[in-house]
């Protein structure tokens, strides 16, 4: 079966250019200030400001009580100081437990909060401790352990698989035309990015053997976003494996996690999910919002 190439204008179910996710700050070439350095500096300033606010809240009662340290005995002064902290902590624990837990970074006292507020388990509590310790699995494989796994992508509840047309565009088809995908772990500054992979075509019978899957950038006319095979690894787009409430226990969604900068006339599909898009009488695979995202089964080989 042959598929036509996407024309210049495609009727879309969901246009990635209509909705953006996250913050996109271009680097200032003239001043030599990179976006990475800018965001790192902002993160450090905010973290230190938060720590100073926490220190101020903790130290304020003690500083106020220092004015009365000579008017009473030491034991009496310590008792008053402890009583103030107990009253402040109790009031916050009853009135604003979420703010106390998250704002003061009380992850170490998580067990105490969960006794009275079981829903607190959905909160992080600190920058280092993840809220969810359980890792989702697909067909018996953890989504954080898919490195070098070979599989085929199948639309959940159907017999349609991810295929490639003669021109390298991603389409859906039967299992006979399905392409094998090899998952490659994504690293950033020598650190592994959780649940995030690049997809490489590993099918010796295909003209696109060892090619990488990525999106066609969206141009200024808001056309683009279709999934295709590219020969250079530098064009490979990272995809994060997402398992949420819309997925069955054995299915997932793929979220585009592209981070590189594109020319001003182009936009990436970062923050959008792999989804089907219609073009005339043919369905192609592109990117769309969460409501249009494809629910996929991973058929391991």
């Amino acid at each position: 079966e042959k598929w036509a190439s996407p024309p210049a204008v495609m009727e879309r179910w969901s246009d990635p250019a209509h909705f953006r996710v996250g913050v996109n700050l271009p680097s200032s070439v003239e001043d030599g200030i990179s976006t990475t350095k800018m965001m790192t500096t902002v993160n450090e300033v905010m973290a230190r400001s938060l720590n100073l606010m926490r220190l101020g809240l903790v130290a304020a009662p003690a500083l106020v009580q220092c004015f009365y340290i000579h008017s009473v005995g030491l034991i009496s002064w310590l008792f008053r100081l402890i009583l103030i902290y107990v009253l402040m902590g109790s009031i916050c624990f009853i009135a604003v437990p979420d703010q106390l837990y998250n704002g003061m970074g009380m992850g170490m006292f998580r067990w105490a909060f969960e006794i009275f507020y079981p829903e607190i388990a959905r909160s992080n509590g600190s920058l280092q401790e993840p809220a969810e310790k359980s890792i989702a699995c697909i067909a018996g494989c953890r989504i954080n352990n898919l490195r070098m796994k070979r599989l085929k992508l199948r639309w959940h509840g159907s017999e349609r698989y991810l295929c490639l047309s003669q021109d390298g565009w991603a389409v859906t088809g039967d299992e006979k035309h399905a392409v094998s995908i090899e998952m490659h772990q994504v690293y950033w500054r020598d650190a592994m990015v959780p649940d995030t992979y690049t997809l490489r075509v590993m099918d010796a019978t295909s003209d696109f053997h060892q090619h990488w899957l990525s999106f066609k950038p969206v141009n200024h006319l808001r056309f683009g976003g279709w999934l295709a095979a590219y020969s250079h690894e530098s064009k490979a787009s990272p995809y994060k494996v997402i398992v949420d409430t819309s997925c069955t226990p054995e299915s997932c969604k793929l979220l585009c996690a592209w981070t590189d900068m594109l020319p001003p006339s182009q936009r990436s599909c970062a923050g959008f999910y792999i989804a089907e898009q219609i073009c005339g009488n043919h369905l192609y695979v592109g990117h769309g919002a969460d409501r249009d995202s494809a629910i996929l089964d991973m058929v391991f080989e």
Side-chain angles (χ1 to χ4, degrees), residues 112-171:
F113 280 85
E114 288 184 347
I115 294 175
F116 299 94
Y117 305 100
E119 67 277 6
I120 210 75
R122 294 195 294 269
S123 301
N124 287 337
S126 69
L127 297 177
Q128 290 76 27
E129 182 183 2
E132 298 294 337
K133 296 184 180 296
S134 60
I135 300 177
C137 295
I138 301 175
C141 294
R142 290 187 170 190
I143 61 175
N144 68 339
N145 192 29
L146 298 178
R147 179 176 176 271
M148 302 308 293
K149 296 283 186 182
R150 291 195 180 185
L151 53 90
K152 295 180 179 179
L153 294 176
R154 180 179 63 197
W155 266 245
H156 180 69
S158 72
E159 293 299 325
R160 293 180 297 119
Y161 289 76
L162 179 68
C163 307
L164 291 175
S165 70
Q166 293 181 346
D167 298 316
W169 298 103
V171 295

Side-chain angles (χ1 to χ4, degrees), residues 77-287:
W77 182 83
L78 289 175
F79 176 77
R80 292 183 181 181
L81 183 62
I82 293 174
L83 181 61
I84 291 175
Y85 280 118
V86 170
L87 289 176
M88 288 178 57
S90 300
I91 293 173
C92 292
F93 188 81
I94 296 173
V96 285
D98 289 342
Q99 286 79 357
L100 177 65
Y101 181 74
N102 291 299
M104 299 302 292
M106 292 190 168
M108 65 180 67
F109 301 109
R110 188 187 191 119
W111 58 272
F113 280 85
E114 288 184 347
I115 294 175
F116 299 94
Y117 305 100
E119 67 277 6
I120 210 75
R122 294 195 294 269
S123 301
N124 287 337
S126 69
L127 297 177
Q128 290 76 27
E129 182 183 2
E132 298 294 337
K133 296 184 180 296
S134 60
I135 300 177
C137 295
I138 301 175
C141 294
R142 290 187 170 190
I143 61 175
N144 68 339
N145 192 29
L146 298 178
R147 179 176 176 271
M148 302 308 293
K149 296 283 186 182
R150 291 195 180 185
L151 53 90
K152 295 180 179 179
L153 294 176
R154 180 179 63 197
W155 266 245
H156 180 69
S158 72
E159 293 299 325
R160 293 180 297 119
Y161 289 76
L162 179 68
C163 307
L164 291 175
S165 70
Q166 293 181 346
D167 298 316
W169 298 103
V171 295
T172 56
D174 55 27
E175 185 176 4
K176 182 176 62 175
H177 296 96
V179 293
S180 296
I181 302 297
E182 187 175 76
M183 309 290 282
H184 288 251
Q185 184 72 55
V186 173
Y187 291 86
W188 172 253
R189 293 184 177 179
D190 298 328
M192 184 182 70
V193 182
D195 314 334
T196 307
Y197 307 88
T198 52
L199 312 181
R200 192 177 193 183
V201 178
M202 298 298 290
D203 190 344
T205 62
S206 173
D207 294 335
F208 302 98
H209 179 54
Q210 297 185 343
H211 281 48
W212 303 84
L213 295 183
S214 187
F215 58 86
K216 179 177 176 61
V218 181
N219 62 23
H220 62 284
L221 297 177
R222 296 182 175 179
F223 296 116
W226 311 296
L227 191 66
Y230 295 87
S231 58
H232 297 290
E233 184 179 0
S234 60
K235 293 187 177 181
S237 174
Y239 285 91
K240 187 173 185 65
V241 180
I242 302 294
V243 177
D244 57 19
T245 54
S246 64
C247 301
T248 64
E250 298 296 328
S251 62
C252 66
K253 298 187 290 190
L254 294 179
L255 176 69
C256 181
W258 182 272
T259 57
D260 295 342
M261 297 296 297
L262 293 176
S265 61
Q266 298 178 344
R267 293 183 179 180
S268 72
C269 292
F272 294 89
Y273 296 84
I274 285 182
E276 283 188 293
Q277 299 170 349
I278 193 170
C279 172
N281 296 325
H282 297 280
L283 281 175
Y284 292 90
V285 179
H287 295 76

